[in-house]
Amino acid sequence: MSVLPVSEPSPFSVGSLYLIAFAQARAPHIGIILPTSLSSGILFHIRIDRNASPNWTYQTRLQNIVQDMFVTSLLRIRDVNIGGITLEQLTSVAKSVAIPENDEFGECFPWVLKVVEMIHTNGYLTVSSLSGLHDEFRAFANGNRAYARRDKFPNVAISTFCM
C-alpha cells in the first residue's frame, strides 16, 4: 500500500474538507468528504439507488479513503488548521441543498458545487470562484484514473480557489 511521505508536508489532514472523486465509466462521481481518520471519513453526496427510487437521493456514510479502488482524487477546500467545519454544520448545509428530481447522469457535481456555495454563504469557507473551482477539480479528477487502485492513496491537491 502506498502511503503519504512522512518527511514532506501533506495536503491531506484529518478534519480538513475535501472534494472527492470516484472512478466511473463516463466521468468521476463527486462528493464532499470530511476525514475523521487517516483512512476514512464522512461522505456527503447524492446517488441513484434504482431499488429505492429512480431519482437522486441524498446520502451520508462512512467512506474508506485508503484501499478503496474507486477513490481517485481529494481536493482540499478547507484546511482544518485555519478552522474546520463540524460534522453538524456540514450536515445541516448539505441537507439544505435541493436534490435534483431526475435521474440524469452528471447531477452530482452541480449539487456538490451548490453545497460548497452554501458552505461559503454560511461563512464556513471562502470561495473566490465557483466556476474556477469547477474547472480546477474537473481537470484534476479527470487526470487521476491511475489512482483507482487499492494499493494507492488517492491523488491529493489543494484548491487555489478555496480557503
Side-chain angles (χ1 to χ4, degrees):
M1 173 176 55
S2 176
V3 295
L4 295 171
V6 176
S7 59
E8 299 175 20
S10 171
F12 181 79
S13 55
V14 174
S16 291
L17 190 60
Y18 296 84
L19 298 185
I20 185 171
F22 297 85
Q24 292 187 138
R26 290 197 279 183
H29 175 65
I30 299 169
I32 297 175
I33 193 163
L34 183 63
T36 54
S37 74
L38 293 174
S39 61
S40 64
I42 305 300
L43 172 68
F44 298 81
H45 71 137
I46 57 172
R47 63 186 295 267
I48 294 177
D49 180 356
R50 301 239 185 255
N51 294 326
S53 167
N55 298 326
W56 291 96
T57 57
Y58 168 78
Q59 184 183 51
T60 301
R61 70 166 195 245
L62 184 62
Q63 172 65 49
N64 285 335
I65 297 168
V66 175
Q67 295 185 327
D68 184 306
M69 67 182 290
F70 296 104
V71 177
T72 64
S73 313
L74 295 168
L75 183 69
R76 188 171 73 199
I77 60 173
R78 178 73 178 169
D79 187 346
V80 68
N81 292 321
I82 59 172
I85 183 170
T86 68
L87 186 56
E88 293 77 21
Q89 291 166 330
L90 187 55
T91 299
S92 175
V93 170
K95 284 184 174 182
S96 75
V97 175
I99 300 163
E101 295 181 7
N102 62 53
D103 65 351
E104 295 175 23
F105 181 82
E107 293 279 6
C108 58
F109 197 20
W111 181 85
V112 164
L113 289 175
K114 288 176 186 169
V115 173
V116 169
E117 183 176 27
M118 287 301 298
I119 295 169
H120 170 84
T121 299
N122 282 286
Y124 306 131
L125 173 69
T126 301
V127 181
S128 62
S129 170
L130 271 175
S131 64
L133 176 61
H134 172 275
D135 294 347
E136 175 185 53
F137 190 66
R138 178 71 68 201
F140 176 63
N142 285 341
N144 291 331
R145 190 107 179 122
Y147 288 85
R149 299 171 42 160
R150 290 190 195 281
D151 63 342
K152 284 196 172 213
F153 195 85
N155 197 6
V156 184
I158 301 168
S159 176
T160 58
F161 296 96
C162 301
M163 57 177 282

